Each structure stands twice: as structure tokens, then as C-alpha cells.
Amino acid sequence: MAKYLLLKHYRGAPKGVNDVPMESWTPQEITDHIQYMNDFAARLEDTGEFVDGQALAPEGAWVRYDGEGRPPVTDGPFAETKDLIAGWMIIDVEGWERAVELAGELSAAPGAGGKPIHEWLEVRPFLTHAPTVTD
């Protein structure tokens, strides 16, 4: 089994087919979208392929260590993940092909008008060993 991260992006990815921002959806469309995601996760729980997943709130900040005895520094001239990443799901599947199959299915979550979003999802394998350094 191999773990993969499925990332849902607000921006930065190619536009989905049904590219209407969630803030323009009706309350029922949002409810239907979340229900689809929950049903998808429940089905993967039944097969043992679901590890975890969360939608992310829009609030957040960059934080870094700024030296001994100094308070952490927040923010900076960086793209905010709150502007980029809407949520994530971790799956544990047989391999890349299954991860891509599930990402494709998750991409069909309903959006505006109840139609599938056809959004692009980023599929990233977990790092299982340190990368090889070459000279």
C-alpha cells in the first residue's frame, strides 16, 4: 500500500469545467458538495483506503522561527496557502493508478447548479525515503 495526498486548490491549478467560486453557490449546493465528499470518504473507509481528510478554513498565516529568544515571525511576501489550498485527503491505496482513479472520481463532486466541478486535483505520493543526493 502507498499513501497519497489529494490536494484541492482554490487557485493555481487549471480551471475546472464548472468554475463557479463556492461563495457564489447556494446553501444547498454547498451542502450537496460536502455530502459528496463525506460519502466518498465513507466508501473509502469501508475499503480501508481512507486515512484522513479535511476542508481548510480561509484563516491562517505563515510562521517561522526567527532566532533564539525572539518571537516567531508571521506573514511575509508569500502566497498564502489559505488562498491556494481548499482541503486535502490522504488515501492509502495499492499504487499510482488507484490514486489517479480516486482523484478522478473526487473531481466529479457537485458544484454550482448541482453539476460536477471537474476540478483538477493534485495527487502527490508521500515521501517514503530520503531523496538520493548526487554530486
Side-chain angles (χ1 to χ4, degrees):
M1 300 290 276
K3 288 189 176 87
Y4 291 86
L5 176 65
L6 308 180
L7 280 173
K8 294 175 64 68
H9 290 269
Y10 282 122
R11 62 185 177 99
K15 291 187 182 276
V17 173
N18 186 3
D19 188 37
V20 177
M22 188 178 268
E23 59 266 12
S24 299
W25 297 1
T26 67
Q28 186 60 53
E29 290 167 343
I30 293 171
T31 298
D32 292 345
H33 180 81
I34 292 169
Q35 187 63 54
Y36 181 96
M37 305 293 283
N38 289 339
D39 291 346
F40 182 83
R43 190 168 50 79
L44 295 185
E45 283 178 344
D46 289 344
T47 64
E49 296 174 304
F50 181 80
V51 176
D52 197 7
Q54 296 293 323
L56 298 174
E59 303 82 27
W62 285 89
V63 178
R64 78 158 201 239
Y65 172 76
D66 202 35
E68 188 65 40
R70 299 180 69 177
V73 175
T74 60
D75 279 323
F78 312 111
E80 300 278 354
T81 58
K82 65 187 177 197
D83 294 332
L84 301 176
I85 300 176
W88 52 270
M89 182 177 288
I90 298 171
I91 57 175
D92 192 2
V93 296
E94 286 298 320
W96 177 254
E97 291 79 16
R98 178 66 174 154
V100 169
E101 175 186 345
L102 292 174
E105 186 177 333
L106 190 56
S107 168
K115 296 179 181 170
I117 297 172
H118 296 275
E119 69 181 322
W120 289 90
L121 296 174
E122 184 177 356
V123 180
R124 298 201 40 201
F126 274 40
L127 187 63
T128 57
H129 58 282
T132 304
V133 178
T134 58
D135 292 328

